[in-house]
Amino acid sequence: MEKLIITAAICGAEVTKKMNPAIPYTVEEIVREAKSAYDAGAAIVHLHVRTDDGVPTQDKARFKECIDAIKAAIPDVIIIPSTGGAVGMSAEERLQPTELFPEMATLDCGTCNFGDTIFENSMPLMRDFGKRMMENNIKPEYECFEMGHLDTALKMINKGQLPGHPIHVNFVLGVLGCTPATIPNLVWMVSALPPGATWCATGIGLTEFPIAAAAIAMGGHVRVGFEDNIFIERRKIAKSNGELVEKVVRIAKELGREIATPDEARRILGLTK
Ligand code: KMH
Ligand code: ZN
């Protein structure tokens, strides 16, 4: 089995300091959380950014400030900016971080319920995002909340509308309104991947850890972080993203899976930049 790539989704767009005071808003807080995750073993930071008072933004300048500050502290880490942003943002707003030419960026693969709201990712939007990523030589991380999302992405890849192989997919399970975070669901979705694809699994809330354990055992990769889960165990909020990553590293060690450095992750993911 390849070494395990751990992604830390350090911030997200939905969680707030009221839920967990360690949620990062400022540039300094973003760097603190990225470094805590990296020091614990994360090779990738999945990045959303906020204004200083916590409002989610896709502002290019804010992304640049945060990416530059993270890179100054931990130069080799892989940063995957979000093009999902927050529910209700326009496509152009969401695309702004692609103008910074990151190695990778997320590409969300279908419209879905997202709690009480609707996360809009129509096929024309996906085509526009795919075109931008091909033009800017950005490898997408395909975000699939449903089996239909993966099927849509694969069909669009086959038509040349989205960047192709080797593809990397993140299965996000347990969002309210989407596929529940169960191991049979994960196994089913992984079984639909084409040969040569790499994949990562994300469980929302405290399903983060059983889904991580399953992905580690199956040879996939893992995402944890405040974006998906603010608890280290039942009723106990996590002190940092690093604490969440440490728990995954402990599970991986028990299961005999070594942890990938960022450069090892670049090789596994076929990153060329
Ligand atoms: N904040 C969610 C609505 C992504 O980063 O691409 C979308 C999201 C997915 O977080
Ligand atoms: Zn995200």
Side-chain angles (χ1 to χ4, degrees):
M1 250 183 227
E2 288 282 13
K3 290 187 179 180
L4 175 69
I5 304 171
I6 302 175
T7 296
I10 61 171
C11 173
E14 290 81 22
V15 286
T16 66
K17 282 188 193 293
K18 275 197 189 129
M19 300 171 183
N20 181 332
I23 306 298
Y25 295 167
T26 67
V27 178
E28 293 69 28
E29 289 167 347
I30 294 264
V31 173
R32 180 199 72 213
E33 287 306 309
K35 188 161 178 350
S36 83
Y38 171 90
D39 289 344
I44 300 178
V45 168
H46 166 57
L47 189 65
H48 289 250
V49 299
R50 313 282 187 104
T51 62
D52 282 350
D53 51 3
V55 178
T57 174
Q58 290 291 104
D59 181 60
K60 180 180 163 186
R62 184 65 165 189
F63 261 104
K64 184 170 184 336
E65 210 183 346
C66 290
I67 290 171
D68 288 350
I70 293 171
K71 289 278 182 188
I74 41 175
D76 64 334
V77 76
I78 299 167
I79 300 176
I80 303 188
S82 173
T83 67
V87 164
M89 288 177 170
S90 71
E92 269 317 308
E93 205 174 351
R94 286 168 52 181
L95 274 171
Q96 289 179 75
T98 62
E99 291 165 28
L100 300 169
F101 302 92
E103 290 173 271
M104 293 182 76
T106 63
L107 197 160
D108 293 276
C109 297
T111 297
C112 51
N113 287 321
F114 204 87
D116 284 348
T117 57
I118 296 174
F119 184 31
E120 285 195 48
N121 296 287
S122 66
M123 287 166 70
L125 177 144
M126 289 173 63
R127 273 183 214 112
D128 287 348
F129 282 35
K131 184 166 175 282
R132 175 71 64 87
M133 291 195 199
M134 287 190 269
E135 283 164 2
N136 288 9
N137 191 25
I138 299 167
K139 180 177 171 109
E141 179 181 77
Y142 291 109
E143 308 295 317
C144 294
F145 300 73
E146 302 281 3
M147 181 61 115
H149 293 183
L150 176 61
D151 189 60
T152 306
L154 294 177
K155 286 184 172 130
M156 292 173 80
I157 290 164
N158 285 340
K159 287 184 183 152
Q161 296 171 343
L162 299 180
H165 301 290
I167 64 165
H168 182 63
V169 174
N170 179 29
F171 295 110
V172 185
L173 302 180
V175 169
L176 187 60
C178 301
T179 306
T182 67
I183 292 170
N185 285 342
L186 178 64
V187 170
W188 179 55
M189 289 168 85
V190 170
S191 74
L193 285 168
T198 52
W199 63 275
C200 171
T202 299
I204 301 298
L206 274 175
T207 68
E208 180 162 88
F209 299 111
I211 289 293
I216 293 166
M218 290 165 67
H221 304 283
V222 168
R223 175 173 118 178
V224 291
F226 287 156
E227 174 164 345
D228 310 312
N229 168 44
I230 57 171
F231 297 100
I232 190 67
E233 59 188 63
R234 202 152 175 256
R235 296 205 191 90
K236 192 171 166 198
I237 60 169
K239 291 193 201 79
S240 65
N241 280 277
E243 199 183 8
L244 298 171
V245 173
E246 278 166 16
K247 185 159 169 170
V248 172
V249 170
R250 285 200 298 278
I251 298 168
K253 291 224 161 110
E254 287 296 328
L255 294 176
R257 189 104 183 256
E258 288 179 70
I259 309 300
T261 63
D263 281 341
E264 289 167 339
R266 284 186 176 90
R267 183 192 55 75
I268 295 166
L269 296 170
L271 292 175
T272 51
K273 269 192 195 174

